[in-house]
Amino acid sequence: MRNYIRLSILIAIGAFSSVTIAANSSALLKDRCASCHKLEGPVAQTAEEAWQQKAPDLFYAGVKYKRKWLSSWLVKPTRIRPAGYLYFNHIKPGKEMDEIDQSTLPKHPALTASEAEMASDALMKLTNAPTDLKKGEFSGKSISISFGEMTFDKFNGCMACHQIEPGYGGLSGPEVYTAANRLQEDYLVSFIRSPQAWNPKSLMPNRHVKEANIQKLVAYLVALSKEEWK
Amino acid sequence: MKQLSLLLLSFFITTPLYAASGEENYKAYCWQCHGMQGDGMGINIENMSVQPRDHTDRKSMSARSDAELFKVIKEGGLSIDKSVLMPPWADVMSDAEIKAIVKYLRKLCDCS
């Protein structure tokens, strides 16, 4: 009987702790992330709203990001988009060409390791995707970097906006050489297939890439992510 | 009252929620390559194999019809045998919005 009571108390404490941790995680997101990121859907409903956003939507973070990357990046955040979330809010005319106005780029706050773990757990529970996302979209087939680059650059022109290695490529979009470290492959397939299904005013055009080539593009991003970039 | 309701209804049917002016869409989607001043000097050009068109160049812009400009914005560079670097924007903007961009381009080049 005494053991039964002890066990019941332990279970109650465990359940209370889980509820408390979940509540704390949720409070952490609201406290540290909500001033720039949307934690609840829907996506921006007008062009004006979309273009005033300071950072990516997080209400589907759980189907977009890789947890391992989240927990390490949140401790030591680095810039992924050279010209900020919406490039046109962070550029200025230069002597020869337009330049990034570094003074306008906000620095992402860093979390402690324990906060980052809590935040990552909470983020992975946000799965309100604006479109259907099937598991297993990515076939997992590999491609060499040279063939992948042909599909990415020569046939689809993606390098116009994205860097394929540090310092090489366009600046308005996010760097892609780390994309597969950061993002789930199934999400990448779905996003390339229709960026506007995820965000109607996305700056990423829909090139109506054939399914087989979408697989090649994601395989290329996976290959790039395995390189050691400095 | 009924007429006013119909008028409002037709406004919401014909004006997509995401619609923006030619100048606003140009800023969001075209500045990155064609530049803040439309001179082809956007932030993305450094490693481009083909340089973006200078929309303030009266001579070259006069050589393009409105229909060609509309087509290249909607369907991308390859649709008029130009660079793959110019993407198709059909899924982002309506035909009316693309027409508004063409109108804005004519303002930039001060040409027809």
Side-chain angles (χ1 to χ4, degrees):
Chain A
M1 183 63 185
R2 199 173 286 170
N3 283 344
Y4 177 76
I5 292 169
R6 276 185 191 152
L7 186 64
S8 301
I9 291 171
L10 281 174
I11 290 171
I13 290 171
F16 180 73
S17 303
S18 302
V19 171
T20 310
I21 289 168
N24 287 346
S25 304
S26 182
L28 177 73
L29 290 190
K30 278 183 188 153
D31 183 39
R32 306 294 296 274
C33 315
S35 61
C36 295
H37 297 274
K38 279 180 85 169
L39 299 175
E40 289 174 11
V43 293
Q45 296 294 294
T46 62
E48 193 185 4
E49 187 189 346
W51 293 337
Q52 279 175 356
Q53 286 191 265
K54 295 177 188 167
D57 288 335
L58 289 181
F59 54 87
Y60 51 86
V63 299
K64 177 178 178 180
Y65 298 108
K66 291 185 175 174
R67 194 200 176 284
K68 189 181 169 191
W69 174 81
L70 274 176
S71 60
S72 62
W73 187 84
L74 287 170
V75 175
K76 206 175 174 184
T78 53
R79 192 166 301 291
I80 295 161
R81 295 172 168 84
Y85 177 60
L86 293 171
Y87 81 91
F88 48 80
N89 292 326
H90 304 287
I91 56 174
K92 60 182 180 182
K95 278 183 187 166
E96 290 177 7
M97 55 184 275
D98 294 347
E99 296 169 354
I100 296 171
D101 186 352
Q102 300 287 345
S103 68
T104 67
L105 292 175
K107 202 175 171 190
H108 194 283
L111 304 185
T112 65
S114 61
E115 284 175 335
E117 289 299 324
M118 275 173 73
S120 302
D121 281 341
L123 286 168
M124 295 312 287
K125 286 177 187 156
L126 302 180
T127 56
N128 186 18
T131 184
D132 285 341
L133 179 65
K134 294 177 202 136
K135 278 197 172 178
E137 287 272 24
F138 177 52
S139 69
K141 280 185 188 166
S142 59
I143 193 172
S144 70
I145 285 189
S146 53
F147 273 113
E149 192 174 324
M150 278 175 66
T151 308
F152 190 84
D153 185 27
K154 302 282 179 215
F155 302 146
N156 289 290
C158 312
M159 216 188 82
C161 303
H162 299 282
Q163 290 195 335
I164 58 170
E165 60 179 70
Y168 187 62
L171 300 173
S172 59
E175 64 193 25
V176 294
Y177 53 93
T178 59
N181 292 325
R182 298 182 273 114
L183 306 166
Q184 297 178 31
E185 288 81 0
D186 290 343
Y187 165 80
L188 284 167
V189 169
S190 176
F191 185 74
I192 295 169
R193 185 185 293 136
S194 178
Q196 284 66 43
W198 291 87
N199 175 4
K201 291 310 276 185
S202 172
L203 298 185
M204 168 114 154
N206 185 346
R207 287 182 174 270
H208 295 275
V209 182
K210 287 180 184 169
E211 286 297 317
N213 288 335
I214 293 178
Q215 296 292 331
K216 285 181 190 171
L217 286 172
V218 177
Y220 171 59
L221 300 180
V222 171
L224 283 179
S225 73
K226 290 175 182 165
E227 295 287 304
E228 281 192 24
W229 304 107
K230 285 183 182 173
Chain B
M1 187 63 192
K2 195 178 171 185
Q3 277 179 327
L4 181 67
S5 304
L6 284 172
L7 193 70
L8 280 172
L9 186 67
S10 70
F11 174 80
F12 285 113
I13 289 172
T14 53
T15 310
L17 281 175
Y18 291 103
S21 72
E23 190 170 352
E24 287 167 335
N25 277 323
Y26 188 86
K27 175 182 174 181
Y29 300 108
C30 313
W31 270 15
Q32 52 194 323
C33 300
H34 295 280
M36 299 174 83
Q37 286 150 23
D39 55 3
M41 294 295 164
I43 55 163
N44 284 342
I45 66 170
E46 198 169 336
N47 302 122
M48 279 185 169
S49 51
V50 178
Q51 294 297 290
R53 183 166 292 266
D54 175 354
H55 292 149
T56 62
D57 182 339
R58 203 170 182 182
K59 195 178 168 191
S60 71
M61 288 298 285
S62 297
R64 295 260 172 237
S65 68
D66 285 1
E68 272 179 308
L69 292 173
F70 179 87
K71 189 175 173 67
V72 75
I73 298 169
K74 183 170 180 171
E75 299 172 26
L78 294 180
S79 72
I80 60 159
D81 294 326
K82 292 290 178 183
S83 174
V84 69
L85 297 175
M86 170 70 190
W89 293 107
D91 287 63
V92 179
M93 288 176 269
S94 65
D95 284 4
E97 286 178 284
I98 295 174
K99 279 180 187 165
I101 289 190
V102 173
K103 211 170 168 184
Y104 182 68
L105 290 177
R106 292 300 181 207
K107 203 171 150 186
L108 280 176
C109 68
D110 191 22
C111 66
S112 55

